[in-house]
């Protein structure tokens, strides 16, 4: 073949080699992951307004509380919806969705019996320190409230109830039109967390529903954890959330004993959450003021389990109502319920004023920590006209193992299984949250094909650095979560195409992520099958062209 003919046929000869790369590059440029709604920064939790649509509780994690029974777990994802409650009452939500009290699959009777917790992702307290949220339900804040806790050790720094519940006049003012039922109406609240912890502290939000029935249930919306400057005017009155976190007595003097557990002359060294509990006949009774409809908590001073690890006491009342009348053993500092006890197994139908001996086994507790007791009466009415919405307690003391073994096993209170004693988030959730944010921030730039990432790249790198070691490893290594995979593929394509950008994605050991060692430097992902078909087609066409060239050469010869 002459040099002139060689130059003429050179593009055709090289087509099998060049075209696959051209097509690979074209498909990859258009391989944009599906956009995911997100709002992320170290200071702001994602999905604080439950606006994630089909994802519903994305960015939150639900914990059960009762024997691991899913049918009794509060904060089911179906409760995130755009409806009303009780056939038409508005929630006063922001946006399209809120966390409601009932759903199409969960009736009111089912919802009000459920118990559990709902945990947000972590956020760093920043800006002015103010946060805001909307809250409904929660008739008695001892049993339904919002808790703010430190990520590092679960220490509770603040607790908020719905102090405006069913205030129809205030709801009407807030809503701008007549509200005749405000039981689940979402009232707005604000609080300055810098008054209880320092700016820069990593925190999380925990919605708590710890008892059944009697409106121990929460509706919620619009958790905003970052205000660069304080709201103006400064929230006061009904807008200002009240910090109702309990102050535990006797922490500095805590010993292996229960102070004034026999109530010989009063209830000093104990606290009551409301006037229902009172001192009567050398004992404490939850109906001392307000009768059977009264509710509340009787709380002991702090104690240790350093030597003796058992408690003996007398108990009477509506013990059969075990989802409402129970005993919590809580840890000082975190205020986390470590063990929950209900009536003896052989008293499952008990409802009387006759004293019954009960024994509590605390051997599972940490001898180096301090604890306190809460005797709960969360039963405010006589459901089904059964009466005995009461709890009486007396003669509370820490006893030896010998005493535990001496008393018949029938006297041992039942320890409820399924109590969450920590609220660790799935370590991959950090990575999912960042992945959502990365896709959101880079989406418009990729769509415009401008290549100008200068306004977001540095901030994203700073925020990626806030992920924990396990969060970084999850972002680099996870191959099953579609959001993480999509974000990682986009990141790799961007840094491959725009080499001047800082490579901020590292694993937990600070190794810079380079991606899969394939021929084009990035993972072709879900389009791999299409690409292979296209490449195969090009190869066939190119082979055909070569065959024609070969025949032409023979004919010329």
């Amino acid at each position: 073949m002459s040099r002139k003919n060689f130059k003429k046929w050179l593009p055709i000869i090289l087509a099998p080699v060049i075209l696959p790369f051209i097509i690979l590059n074209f498909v990859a440029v258009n391989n944009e992951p599906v956009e995911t709604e997100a709002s992320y920064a170290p200071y702001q939790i994602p999905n604080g307004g439950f606006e994630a649509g089909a994802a519903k509780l994305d960015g939150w994690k639900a914990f059960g509380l009762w024997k691991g029974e899913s049918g009794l777990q509060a904060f089911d994802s179906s409760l995130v919806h755009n409806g009303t409650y009780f056939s038409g009452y508005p929630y006063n939500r922001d946006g399209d969705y809120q966390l409601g009290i009932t759903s199409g699959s969960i009736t009111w009777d089912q919802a009000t019996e459920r118990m559990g917790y709902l945990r947000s992702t972590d956020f760093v307290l920043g800006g002015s320190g103010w946060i805001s949220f909307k809250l409904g339900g929660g008739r008695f804040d001892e049993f339904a409230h919002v808790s703010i806790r430190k990520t590092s050790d679960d220490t509770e720094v603040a607790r908020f109830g719905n102090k405006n519940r069913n205030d129809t006049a205030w709801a009407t003012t807030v809503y701008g039109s007549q509200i005749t039922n405000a039981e689940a109406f979402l009232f707005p609240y604000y609080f300055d967390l810098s008054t209880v912890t320092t700016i820069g502290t990593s925190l999380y939000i925990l919605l708590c529903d710890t008892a059944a029935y009697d409106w121990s249930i929460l509706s919620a919306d619009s958790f905003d954890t970052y205000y660069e400057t304080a709201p103006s005017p400064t929230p006061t009155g009904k807008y200002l959330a009240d910090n109702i976190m309990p102050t535990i007595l006797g922490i500095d003097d805590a010993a292996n004993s229960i102070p004034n557990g026999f109530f010989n002359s009063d209830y000093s060294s104990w606290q009551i959450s409301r006037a229902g509990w009172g001192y009567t006949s050398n004992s404490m009774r939850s109906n001392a003021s307000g009768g059977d409809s009264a509710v509340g908590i009787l709380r002991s001073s702090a104690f240790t389990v350093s030597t003796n690890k058992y408690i003996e006491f007398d108990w009477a009342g509506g013990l059969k109502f075990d989802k409402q009348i129970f005993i919590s053993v809580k840890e000082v500092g975190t205020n986390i319920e470590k063990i929950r006890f209900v009536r003896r197994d052989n008293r499952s139908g008990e409802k009387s004023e006759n004293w019954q001996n009960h024994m509590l086994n605390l051997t599972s507790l940490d001898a180096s920590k301090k604890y306190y007791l809460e005797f709960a009466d969360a039963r405010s009415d006589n459901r089904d006209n059964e009466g005995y919405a009461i709890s009486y307690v007396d003669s509370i003391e820490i006893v030896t193992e010998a005493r535990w073994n001496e008393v018949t096993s029938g006297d041992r209170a039942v320890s409820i299984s399924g109590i969450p004693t920590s609220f660790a988030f799935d370590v991959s959730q950090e990575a999912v949250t960042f992945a959502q944010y990365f896709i959101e921030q880079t989406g418009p730039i990729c769509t415009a094909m401008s290549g100008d990432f200068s306004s977001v790249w540095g901030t994203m790198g700073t925020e990626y650095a806030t992920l924990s070691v396990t969060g970084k490893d999850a972002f680099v290594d996870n191959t099953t979560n579609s959001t993480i995979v999509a974000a990682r593929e986009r990141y790799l394509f961007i840094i491959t195409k725009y080499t001047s950008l800082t490579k901020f994605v590292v694993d937990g050991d600070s190794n810079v992520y380079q991606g899969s060692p394939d021929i084009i430097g990035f993972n072709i992902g879900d389009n791999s099958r299409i690409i292979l078909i296209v490449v195969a087609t090009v190869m066939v066409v190119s082979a055909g062209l070569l065959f024609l060239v070969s025949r032409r050469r023979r004919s010329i010869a």
Side-chain angles (χ1 to χ4, degrees):
M1 180 186 296
S2 68
R3 180 174 296 180
K4 180 178 180 180
N5 285 334
F6 178 78
K7 290 181 179 180
K8 179 179 179 180
W9 292 104
L10 182 62
I12 298 176
I13 295 170
L14 293 178
V17 178
I18 295 173
L19 285 176
F21 284 98
I22 294 174
I23 294 172
L24 276 171
N25 187 61
F26 174 78
V27 175
V29 168
N30 290 278
N31 179 23
E32 296 296 340
V34 177
E35 296 297 318
T36 304
E37 287 295 324
S39 179
Y40 172 84
Y43 311 110
Q44 187 71 273
I45 63 169
N47 198 24
F50 305 101
E51 294 296 308
K56 295 192 180 284
L57 288 179
D58 192 35
W60 297 83
K61 182 176 181 179
F63 296 82
L65 190 154
W66 190 266
K67 302 180 181 179
E69 296 179 22
S70 59
L72 286 177
Q73 179 173 307
F75 307 116
D76 185 85
S77 62
S78 68
L79 297 173
V80 177
H81 58 76
N82 60 359
T84 58
Y85 66 96
F86 298 161
S87 302
Y89 295 117
Y91 277 105
N92 187 41
R93 63 175 169 264
D94 294 321
D96 296 325
Y97 299 93
Q98 80 284 309
L99 177 65
I101 57 171
T102 60
S103 69
S105 59
I106 301 176
T107 66
W108 169 247
D109 285 343
Q110 294 170 332
T112 193
E113 184 181 12
R114 292 176 173 231
M115 296 172 281
Y117 302 91
L118 186 66
R119 186 202 195 276
S120 76
T121 50
D122 301 334
F123 67 96
V124 175
L125 186 62
S128 64
W130 282 85
I131 67 167
S132 64
F133 55 92
K134 287 187 172 183
L135 200 62
R139 182 180 179 187
F140 303 112
D141 52 31
E142 296 97 324
F143 309 111
H145 52 260
V146 175
S147 176
I148 310 295
R149 298 173 176 272
K150 291 183 179 180
T151 305
S152 59
D153 58 8
D154 296 314
T155 296
E156 187 176 32
V157 300
R159 183 186 298 184
F160 311 115
N162 180 19
K163 68 178 184 179
N164 296 317
R165 179 190 173 274
N166 211 21
D167 185 337
T168 54
W170 180 237
T172 297
T173 299
V174 169
Y175 195 64
S177 60
Q178 185 67 36
I179 297 294
T180 58
N181 180 300
E183 293 174 298
F185 183 88
L186 292 164
F187 291 96
Y189 293 101
Y190 297 80
F191 191 82
D192 182 4
L193 285 178
S194 70
T195 61
V196 294
T197 191
T198 57
I199 298 294
T201 303
S202 180
L203 305 166
Y204 65 90
I205 298 166
L206 191 70
L207 275 65
C208 307
D209 177 354
T210 63
Y213 306 114
D214 289 339
W215 271 97
S216 182
I217 188 172
L218 294 174
S219 50
D221 196 22
S222 306
F223 286 91
D224 191 340
T225 55
Y226 181 75
Y227 282 82
E228 184 176 356
T229 59
S232 181
T234 302
T236 59
K238 293 179 182 292
Y239 280 115
L240 188 62
D242 293 339
N243 186 358
I244 59 171
M245 191 177 73
T247 299
I248 310 305
L249 301 177
I251 295 176
D252 293 338
D253 302 320
N256 193 209
S257 62
I258 304 292
N260 193 24
F262 282 81
F263 308 108
N264 288 326
S265 59
D266 57 24
Y267 66 96
S268 58
S269 300
W270 292 77
Q271 296 173 295
I272 57 175
S273 67
R274 59 184 71 224
W277 281 95
Y279 178 74
T280 303
S281 302
N282 297 98
S283 64
M284 291 299 290
R285 305 188 179 203
S286 67
N287 63 346
S289 176
D292 285 14
S293 62
V295 302
I297 283 173
L298 173 67
R299 183 180 299 115
S300 77
S301 295
F303 63 88
T304 67
V305 289
S306 53
T307 304
N308 298 320
K309 304 175 184 291
Y310 303 91
I311 289 179
E312 185 173 12
F313 71 103
D314 292 333
W315 202 7
L319 307 188
K320 67 171 291 184
F321 308 119
D322 53 6
K323 296 186 184 71
Q324 296 174 283
I325 295 176
F326 54 86
I327 305 160
S328 295
V329 184
K330 295 189 173 181
E331 181 183 88
V332 171
T334 65
N335 298 323
I336 290 177
E337 183 179 37
K338 292 298 184 178
I339 315 176
R340 177 176 294 198
F341 293 101
V342 298
R343 76 293 170 281
R344 293 158 28 180
D345 193 53
N346 57 11
R347 293 291 173 179
S348 59
E350 183 75 18
K351 51 174 188 174
S352 75
E353 296 185 353
N354 299 323
W355 294 104
Q356 305 293 336
N357 189 56
H358 279 76
M359 304 284 287
L360 310 180
N361 185 342
L362 308 185
T363 56
S364 63
L365 298 180
D366 188 338
S368 68
K369 296 186 177 182
K370 299 174 183 180
Y371 303 91
Y372 59 93
L373 302 175
E374 284 190 346
F375 291 88
D377 177 359
R379 189 175 177 84
S380 70
D381 57 14
N382 297 324
R383 295 174 61 87
D384 304 320
N385 297 314
E386 287 200 63
Y388 288 97
I390 55 175
S391 179
Y392 299 170
V393 296
D394 194 13
S395 306
I396 307 164
E397 61 178 331
I398 293 181
V399 298
T400 64
E401 184 176 7
R403 175 60 180 166
W404 168 266
N405 292 328
E406 175 183 296
V407 177
T408 173
S409 61
D411 284 6
R412 297 173 183 175
V414 174
S415 175
I416 295 299
S417 62
I419 303 293
T421 56
S422 68
F423 299 99
F425 216 116
D426 181 358
V427 294
S428 68
Q429 184 60 42
E430 281 187 291
V432 173
T433 301
F434 180 82
Q436 291 173 328
Y437 163 71
F438 182 86
I439 290 172
E440 179 192 61
Q441 294 296 302
T442 57
I445 301 170
C446 291
T447 300
M449 301 182 69
S450 67
D452 183 8
F453 293 90
S454 60
S455 62
V456 299
W457 202 259
T459 302
M460 289 190 296
T462 299
E463 292 167 357
Y464 184 83
T466 68
L467 269 62
S468 66
V469 168
T470 51
K472 291 173 182 175
D473 282 339
F475 187 84
V476 169
D477 298 331
N478 188 291
T479 58
T480 59
N481 185 282
S482 59
T483 304
I484 293 176
V485 171
R488 193 170 60 223
E489 288 181 356
R490 178 178 289 182
Y491 166 83
L492 195 53
F493 172 72
I494 290 171
I495 64 169
T496 301
K497 185 173 180 64
Y498 305 102
T499 56
S500 64
L501 293 175
T502 302
K503 298 176 176 60
F504 60 75
V505 172
V506 297
D507 63 16
D509 295 321
S510 299
N511 298 312
V512 177
Y513 175 66
Q514 300 292 346
S516 302
D518 52 53
I519 59 174
I520 56 174
F522 65 93
N523 188 347
I524 58 180
D526 293 337
N527 289 315
S528 58
R529 188 176 302 172
I530 298 172
I531 292 172
L532 290 174
I533 293 172
V534 173
V535 171
T537 303
V538 171
M539 295 292 286
V540 170
V541 172
S542 299
L545 290 172
L546 286 174
F547 175 73
L548 291 175
V549 170
S550 175
R551 290 196 58 184
R552 180 175 177 79
R553 288 180 62 190
R554 286 197 295 272
S555 65
I556 292 174

